[in-house]
Amino acid sequence: MRQAGRYLPEYQSIRRKVPFLELCKTPDLAAEVTMQPVERLGVDAAILFSDILIPCEAMGQTLEFTESQGPRLAPIRSSSEVDRLIVPDPADRCGFVLEAIREIRRRLVGRVPLIGFAGAPFTLASYMVEGGSSRSFTYLKRMMFAEPATYRKLLDKIAETTALYLSAQIEAGAQAVQIFDSWGGVLSLPDFEEHALPYVSRVVDALPREDVPVIYYVGQAAHLIEPMLESGADVLGIDWRLPLSEARRRIGGRASVQGNLDPAALFGTPEDIERKVSAVLDEAGKAPGHVFNLGHGILPQTNPEHARVLVDAVHRLSSGGTEPRPA
Ligand code: 1CP
């Protein structure tokens, strides 16, 4: 998750020359940045360099990334504003993402698989309605509870867009896809079941999935494991708050798990990191079906050497795991 992020000097040196959105829209550069953590860290998969908000612009919403406040979007809050959004043809409006995928696959030459991704409809709606990052999600929840028909119309459009967008990524060469519901955990269990889950399920159901695992990540999801399972995803991504042993017990073999080291653990010493990697692996147990990952995006202040310590520790300590790859 956001592994290419701002913590790598080689990423920063490209970003000094190219604004973020332009980087996303230039397939050669997006491919180069995607490859950086693969080359430097020896991770077992590459994650497409892009952003979950790219389809918002394709749907007709104004989008910019500011240095100080992160993403800014012209908020969608009324029924007529929802009506003006389109369900874009991905080849037409997001062709640069598909070209980046094809270019990354050429550069990877089968070394590791490529993961494509999209935002889950609820999380995408939070940015579209709030107009950027939010803490309270007031406008979104107001739409959900005061204007449910407008909310449903918006979520329908986002789900349809996301299904087409992820299908196009798979067709272009993505070998797994991850759906990010970063803010799904702010909903109660019944609200999640009514206002978030059906739209995710619709996306999962629409994907051409032969041999393409679907990973569904929800932040702060301790109360949501059971409905997450109903999404039909093959892998559930969870953050560090819920022990993997408990997640595995509740999942009961019906899906794999991905996670879940606290990204802040990388601020510790190499010995601390190894200890914590070992603890996550113990929690996950020996049964197959655990994808080691951080429980959320890597933090920009992370020392790249510590990320490397993490990858090496996972390779060394995981049972039946792969041998460490040379740098
Ligand atoms: O200044 C910069 O260089 C931009 C920083 C940055 C980066 C590197 C943003 C802005 N997005 C990304 C890339 C990104 N984002 C990837 C590509 C893979 C990679 O870099 O390794 C991915 C998968 C994302 C996903 C993403 N974007 C999520 C969901 C994942 C999660 O962490 O739960 C979300 C919520 C976003 C929105 C977003 N994009 C960028 C920012 C600053 C934000 C807002 C985050 C927030 O609201 O807190």
Side-chain angles (χ1 to χ4, degrees):
M1 275 172 264
R2 287 192 263 163
Q3 53 185 220
R6 286 161 283 187
Y7 75 107
L8 289 180
E10 54 268 39
Y11 173 78
Q12 284 165 351
S13 94
I14 292 184
R15 272 288 279 110
R16 274 193 288 276
K17 291 174 247 156
V18 188
F20 177 69
L21 211 44
E22 189 182 328
L23 185 47
C24 293
K25 292 179 181 178
T26 312
D28 255 353
L29 289 178
E32 184 177 338
V33 171
T34 299
M35 295 298 290
Q36 287 173 346
V38 178
E39 310 282 7
R40 185 194 265 259
L41 304 177
V43 284
D44 296 304
I47 181 147
L48 168 69
F49 187 82
S50 185
D51 196 82
I52 61 163
L53 302 178
I54 293 292
C56 304
E57 193 177 50
M59 292 176 79
Q61 190 172 20
T62 307
L63 166 69
E64 57 169 348
F65 283 89
T66 66
E67 295 299 328
S68 53
Q69 293 169 293
R72 304 298 317 158
L73 302 96
I76 305 288
R77 295 193 185 149
S78 68
S79 177
S80 60
E81 283 164 343
V82 174
D83 287 336
R84 281 199 289 277
L85 294 171
I86 62 161
V87 174
D89 173 354
D92 210 29
R93 303 290 285 258
C94 303
F96 49 88
V97 173
L98 308 178
E99 187 45 41
I101 290 174
R102 289 187 282 266
E103 178 57 25
I104 295 161
R105 286 294 305 275
R106 282 194 285 273
R107 294 189 189 199
L108 282 170
V109 284
R111 260 196 293 170
V112 293
L114 172 63
I115 307 174
F117 70 88
F122 171 77
T123 287
L124 222 52
S126 80
Y127 287 95
M128 296 178 78
V129 175
E130 299 293 333
S133 302
S134 175
R135 279 176 176 275
S136 57
F137 304 94
T138 311
Y139 290 102
L140 180 68
K141 286 189 172 180
R142 187 172 73 180
M143 185 190 282
M144 188 182 279
F145 297 129
E147 292 183 61
T150 303
Y151 178 85
R152 283 196 296 269
K153 190 163 62 172
L154 174 62
L155 274 277
D156 282 341
K157 267 191 177 170
I158 299 173
E160 205 183 325
T161 297
T162 308
L164 292 171
Y165 181 55
L166 280 180
S167 299
Q169 289 188 26
I170 292 171
E171 203 186 311
Q175 290 149 297
V177 288
Q178 175 149 344
I179 301 173
F180 287 100
D181 224 344
S182 312
W183 311 122
V186 303
L187 294 175
S188 69
L189 173 64
D191 285 338
F192 183 84
E193 287 177 324
E194 181 175 351
H195 301 292
L197 177 66
Y199 305 96
V200 179
S201 303
R202 213 181 301 160
V203 173
V204 174
D205 285 347
L207 300 179
R209 307 171 50 184
E210 244 168 86
D211 301 325
V212 178
V214 176
I215 309 159
Y216 181 36
Y217 170 84
V218 182
Q220 306 211 39
H223 59 307
L224 300 174
I225 296 299
E226 290 74 17
M228 282 170 74
L229 262 176
E230 284 173 42
S231 69
D234 304 286
V235 186
L236 304 188
I238 57 173
D239 70 27
W240 61 93
R241 295 164 180 93
L242 183 69
L244 285 183
S245 55
E246 185 187 330
R248 295 265 247 182
R249 184 176 50 70
R250 285 162 61 188
I251 290 168
R254 286 168 288 169
S256 298
V257 284
Q258 177 178 287
N260 69 346
L261 185 69
D262 184 343
L266 293 175
F267 294 138
T269 64
E271 293 72 29
D272 292 335
I273 296 168
E274 284 208 23
R275 236 185 340 268
K276 288 181 174 167
V277 164
S278 174
V280 169
L281 292 170
D282 284 347
E283 281 291 334
K286 299 232 177 289
H290 171 220
V291 180
F292 191 99
N293 196 5
L294 296 177
H296 203 188
I298 196 163
L299 296 161
Q301 300 84 353
T302 303
N303 176 349
E305 284 309 309
H306 286 199
R308 172 89 207 186
V309 167
L310 169 98
V311 173
D312 289 348
V314 174
H315 283 149
R316 202 171 51 253
L317 299 172
S318 54
S319 53
T322 38
E323 286 297 308
R325 223 181 297 276

